[in-house]
Amino acid sequence: MRVAGLIAKIRLPRSLAARAVLFTVTVLSATALLSAATMLIGAQRESRHHQLEVAHDLTAHYAVTAGNMLASGRTRPLIAMTENAVTRDDVLGAMVVDAEGAAIAHSGGAEARALMRQVAAAVARDGEMKYLRGRGGDIAVGARVLRNGEAAGTAVLMWRRGAYRFDPLAALTPFMLFVGCLLIAIIPLTALIVRRTMAPLDTLARFAEGVGKGDEGKTLNLRTGDEFEVLANAFNRMIARLDSSMRRIQEVSFVDPVTQLPNQERFVRELKLLIHQPGDEQAAIAVFELKGLPRILQTLEPGTARDLLRVVAERFSNALRSAAGGRAAVAARLSATEFAALAPGYASPAEAARFAQSLNENLNRPFEWRGHRLAPAAACGVVVAPRDATDAEMALRRARMALQAAQIAPTQVKVFTPALDREAVARLALERDMRAALERNEFRAYFQPKIDMASGRIGACEALARWVRPDSTIVSPARFIPVAEESGLIEQLSEAIMREACWKGAAWARAGAPVKIAVNVSALEFRSDRFAENVLRVLQSSGLPPHLLELEITESMAMEDIDRALRQIEPLRAIGVRLAIDDFGCGHSSLAALSKLPFDVIKIDRQFVRALEIGDPQAPAIVDMIIALARTLNLEIVAEGIERREEAEFLAGRGCQWAQGFLYGAAAPAAEFADKLRRQNPVGGARPIAAA
Ligand code: C2E
Ligand code: MG
Ligand code: MG
């Protein structure tokens, strides 16, 4: 396990060639080491064998000499020879014993003699040559002594351990040196060959790595004539195909397919180049929203719509060219109805504003197209970068922020300023606070009475949202409704107001004071597919009779998509819910649209009542016209914002049925309004506001 772990930890070089070299060198070295070890072990064994053989031969010769000496009765020389034997380095002892085992001659130490005796006994017992190894590896070899062919005893020689052994290491050293030199020569040679063989693979790998890092447009030139060349050619073909696909993708992803103008990605790239270029050149970045376009496009076939977009794009590009006055400007289409322009050379917000203004006017100019007169209704937000935006995303975001402000500005053009940014930050903070306030149920419905001019009695009311903060301060809808619409919180908010209004209305009806309750509907809410369903649910749960509920929608909401508006309203109309057009006269409603939608009520906008007050000479005529229109369409009329009795009298005199305004009371909390209702009941004492 440990070895496996260690092996796993070994880091091999990344290059294949280096690995091949490493492998070859390892195999060669291992083979050389293994053969050297095998040879050494073999030589060792051979050396032991050789020692035994020599020791046997010399001992046998000693036994023969001893036998001859005994036969000739020369005992003394035998003793001398035996004693002299130990003078040799390799002999530790010598001994001759007779047939009974008694020593005739001997030399050597006690330990040697003891071993020699054991050998002598073994030889006498078995009648043949014997040997025994001593503790240190020394050998005692014994042979029979024959005198005249008859066994006369035993001769034993004790040999030192290393005697007659050859040193295998010394013997093998020249050979091993030769092998070592061979290895030293072979290893670099092998490495060189392996490297050369693998070199094309290395080239391929480096090339692939380069392609991966974005080295486009290069080709690989390998002329090896083998599989590597085939692989390289395949690689080249693949890269070429990849290159052309990339070019196509870039084309598609940087150009708007309909207008052929640069798209948002490309525009952002251009912005980046401009903002990060050295020097301090400033540029105007303008974003245009063509608000009129969706309505026009909706009525056209897809092909025709594309033609129109191309015409608009061309007009835009031409306008930009003339506005930029020879500067290298870029026109782009950012989204369906959003165009953008980037023009260098505008250093101040005032210059940028003039540039944007002239472009916007140009765009707004109505034009004839296939027999139609079209007006794109453009608004524009512009920012000077890098002065007011230090990167591309920020520039686009700030231009869009200015565009948002431009939508409600009279000129429809707005330049980004840090104040606008602060406003946006404040809006974000407000949005955050609103979310928390919604959770805490701080949005309440306040009720403003609507007076029936004939009877002078409160016959209806409008529920208006109020944000009642914990410190009892009241935030007006003018401040939070736009933020709620922008953030999408409006649905939740409107539902809360609608719920409260319906529950309160139902309670007053049950208490014998039924009043019509008007509830404002926001554009976002009205666009939701769940709109009718939500209203029906609230009606059901509250128990408010549907004919007491009146929904106020604005002209622009009604005009946005009449058929859709009709579909939204129908299920509610079917059960008796009433529909009012709010702030009438402010928008651009067409008579046809007004007659197409099933309105019950027209609310004359406060501005006309105000015009009456300030003595605008045309005001009475306009009010007359609206009232006449309402009569023709058989609609009820409510005048909003009546603050003075004269206005009320004038309007009543012209046939206006309902009056709403501070003259009769501002929007009040439900309890206060209920009090008012209670006070005017029972019917009888009420004084008509003005005679019709
Ligand atoms: P609106 O629906 O046209 O409401 C009438 C506005 O005129 C109310 O302003 C009301 O307080 C104000 N007003 C009434 N009589 C007079 C008067 O004699 N003089 C003057 N100067 N003003 C008068 P408020 O409550 O600030 O609401 C403003 C707008 O906010 C509303 O205009 C409506 O469009 C929107 N809004 C209010 N509540 C809601 C709501 O619950 N949902 C939605 N979607 N919008 C709401
Ligand atoms: Mg209203
Ligand atoms: Mg209104």
Side-chain angles (χ1 to χ4, degrees):
M1 268 329 261
R2 262 183 140 186
V3 178
L6 278 177
I7 291 175
K9 273 188 192 160
I10 294 174
R11 283 189 173 269
L12 288 175
R14 274 193 62 211
S15 141
L16 212 57
R19 283 189 194 188
V21 169
L22 187 72
F23 176 74
T24 320
V25 167
T26 313
V27 168
L28 276 177
S29 314
T31 314
L33 278 174
L34 215 67
S35 8
T38 317
M39 284 173 93
L40 267 175
I41 292 167
Q44 189 80 25
R45 295 182 70 182
E46 186 55 33
S47 158
R48 283 170 139 220
H49 190 68
H50 178 255
Q51 180 192 32
L52 266 180
E53 242 174 34
V54 173
H56 268 74
D57 285 356
L58 291 178
T59 309
H61 178 72
Y62 173 57
V64 169
T65 311
N68 289 342
M69 283 182 167
L70 283 179
S72 58
R74 288 183 289 143
T75 315
R76 274 189 172 282
L78 176 61
I79 292 168
M81 181 179 79
T82 303
E83 279 171 358
N84 284 341
V86 290
T87 55
R88 290 178 55 155
D89 276 353
D90 46 2
V91 176
L92 291 172
M95 176 179 272
V96 179
V97 294
D98 61 16
E100 275 74 43
I104 298 167
H106 64 84
S107 60
E111 199 178 327
R113 282 206 305 273
L115 191 68
M116 286 191 291
R117 279 194 189 285
Q118 279 181 40
V119 174
V123 172
R125 189 177 62 239
D126 298 338
E128 58 182 30
M129 279 191 87
K130 289 277 171 189
Y131 74 92
L132 274 176
R133 279 190 192 277
R135 265 189 296 149
D138 312 317
I139 312 169
V141 184
R144 281 200 308 161
V145 175
L146 298 175
R147 188 173 49 199
N148 301 326
E150 298 220 343
T154 308
V156 186
L157 277 175
M158 174 105 175
W159 299 94
R160 198 181 283 281
R161 183 172 174 264
Y164 299 106
R165 264 202 194 180
F166 66 87
D167 181 2
L169 202 62
L172 283 176
T173 299
F175 171 73
M176 293 205 338
L177 269 176
F178 172 71
V179 170
C181 292
L182 207 64
L183 261 181
I184 289 168
I186 278 178
I187 285 172
L189 200 69
T190 319
L192 196 75
I193 293 169
V194 170
R195 281 199 77 86
R196 290 197 121 199
T197 321
M198 306 293 279
L201 197 61
D202 224 38
T203 315
L204 270 170
R206 267 202 303 278
F207 183 72
E209 203 171 44
V211 170
K213 282 183 186 156
D215 285 355
E216 293 143 19
K218 283 191 182 166
T219 49
L220 186 60
N221 197 10
L222 268 188
R223 294 279 162 263
T224 53
D226 54 15
E227 287 90 339
F228 285 126
E229 190 176 325
V230 177
L231 204 61
N233 290 339
F235 233 80
N236 286 336
R237 282 194 296 277
M238 213 163 73
I239 303 284
R241 229 174 292 149
L242 213 69
D243 259 9
S244 83
S245 306
M246 285 298 286
R247 265 196 295 279
R248 280 279 313 133
I249 289 170
Q250 290 212 343
E251 250 171 54
V252 172
S253 54
F254 287 124
V255 174
D256 170 52
V258 178
T259 60
Q260 296 302 311
L261 286 179
N263 64 7
Q264 175 154 322
E265 278 70 29
R266 170 79 192 285
F267 190 70
V268 169
R269 280 193 171 202
E270 297 285 343
L271 269 179
K272 278 185 182 154
L273 283 178
L274 186 127
I275 290 176
H276 298 301
Q277 77 185 357
D280 55 358
E281 187 172 29
Q282 302 291 334
I285 290 110
V287 177
F288 299 84
E289 171 79 42
L290 307 187
K291 291 173 290 175
L293 218 52
R295 252 175 57 201
I296 305 169
L297 293 175
Q298 262 170 19
T299 59
L300 303 174
E301 294 287 319
T304 325
R306 277 197 291 274
D307 285 348
L308 173 60
L309 277 169
R310 276 193 279 272
V311 170
V312 173
E314 207 175 307
R315 281 170 55 82
F316 179 60
S317 303
N318 291 340
L320 176 60
R321 224 168 292 133
S322 69
R327 294 180 173 106
V330 179
R333 184 177 179 220
L334 304 187
S335 65
T337 55
E338 209 180 28
F339 287 77
L342 181 164
Y346 292 92
S348 72
E351 283 174 54
R354 268 196 299 282
F355 159 75
Q357 186 73 50
S358 85
L359 252 179
N360 203 57
E361 271 168 19
N362 221 316
L363 267 180
N364 260 333
R365 204 162 294 147
F367 64 99
E368 294 283 333
W369 182 74
R370 297 190 183 172
H372 302 282
R373 193 171 160 74
L374 305 174
C380 168
V382 60
V383 64
V384 178
R387 182 187 185 274
D388 287 329
T390 46
D391 68 57
E393 278 80 17
M394 189 195 277
L396 208 54
R397 200 174 56 245
R398 293 191 155 176
R400 282 188 169 131
M401 198 187 281
L403 171 62
Q404 235 174 28
Q407 314 261 18
I408 46 168
T411 53
Q412 299 283 286
V413 172
K414 198 93 187 171
V415 186
F416 172 84
T417 57
L420 211 61
D421 198 26
R422 281 197 294 277
E423 206 175 287
V425 171
R427 273 177 173 238
L428 275 179
L430 190 67
E431 183 188 325
R432 193 194 50 221
D433 290 354
M434 277 178 72
R435 281 182 201 281
L438 269 167
E439 299 274 307
R440 292 193 299 262
N441 213 14
E442 285 173 22
F443 289 93
R444 311 311 307 249
Y446 272 41
F447 298 88
Q448 185 176 32
K450 285 187 196 167
I451 309 296
D452 177 353
M453 284 190 155
S455 64
R457 293 171 58 83
I458 302 172
C461 64
E462 178 173 4
L464 292 160
R466 295 289 179 269
W467 178 357
V468 186
R469 297 226 193 210
D471 60 1
S472 300
T473 51
I474 292 177
V475 186
S476 107
R479 205 162 132 57
F480 62 78
I481 293 280
V483 179
E485 293 206 311
E486 248 172 55
S487 59
L489 287 174
I490 190 74
E491 280 199 63
Q492 211 182 331
L493 173 79
S494 295
E495 202 177 318
I497 300 299
M498 168 105 56
R499 214 178 312 119
E500 188 178 352
C502 290
W503 278 89
K504 293 279 154 53
W508 298 327
R510 276 197 300 274
V515 277
K516 290 193 205 94
I517 315 270
V519 178
N520 292 286
V521 176
S522 80
L524 205 78
E525 205 186 345
F526 194 58
R527 266 183 235 131
S528 155
D529 291 332
R530 296 188 309 266
F531 172 67
E533 193 188 311
N534 288 348
V535 177
L536 286 172
R537 203 183 45 238
V538 175
L539 273 174
Q540 247 167 24
S541 63
S542 64
L544 180 75
H547 70 273
L548 289 183
L549 178 65
E550 193 168 281
L551 299 174
E552 292 190 5
I553 67 170
T554 59
E555 285 170 278
S556 47
M557 279 155 67
M559 297 309 127
E560 202 175 278
D561 182 349
I562 295 174
D563 294 329
R564 187 184 159 80
L566 207 60
R567 279 200 304 278
Q568 293 281 58
I569 294 299
E570 254 163 8
L572 299 168
R573 289 282 304 166
I575 56 163
V577 174
R578 289 155 56 88
L579 189 64
I581 186 157
D582 203 355
D583 305 338
F584 187 77
C586 293
H588 307 274
S589 33
S590 77
L591 203 58
L594 200 62
S595 59
K596 245 182 163 182
L597 285 173
F599 286 111
D600 302 284
V601 180
I602 285 186
K603 293 188 81 178
I604 305 178
D605 190 64
R606 204 166 64 218
Q607 61 167 312
F608 300 109
V609 178
R610 184 78 352 97
L612 284 176
E613 184 198 328
I614 58 172
D616 183 334
Q618 294 192 330
I622 296 174
V623 171
D624 272 347
M625 222 169 65
I626 298 176
I627 294 176
L629 175 73
R631 283 235 171 102
T632 316
L633 296 173
N634 204 18
L635 306 179
E636 285 178 24
I637 302 165
V638 179
E640 292 186 286
I642 300 181
E643 292 182 0
R644 288 150 36 102
R645 188 154 290 277
E646 299 85 74
E647 291 156 15
E649 280 167 359
F650 173 85
L651 285 159
R654 299 296 166 118
C656 177
Q657 296 115 320
W658 294 92
Q660 179 184 353
F662 292 168
L663 179 64
Y664 313 104
E672 208 175 293
F673 179 73
D675 237 29
K676 268 190 189 168
L677 273 184
R678 225 173 293 123
R679 265 187 271 124
Q680 75 167 0
N681 282 328
V683 190
R687 181 175 70 91
I689 303 295

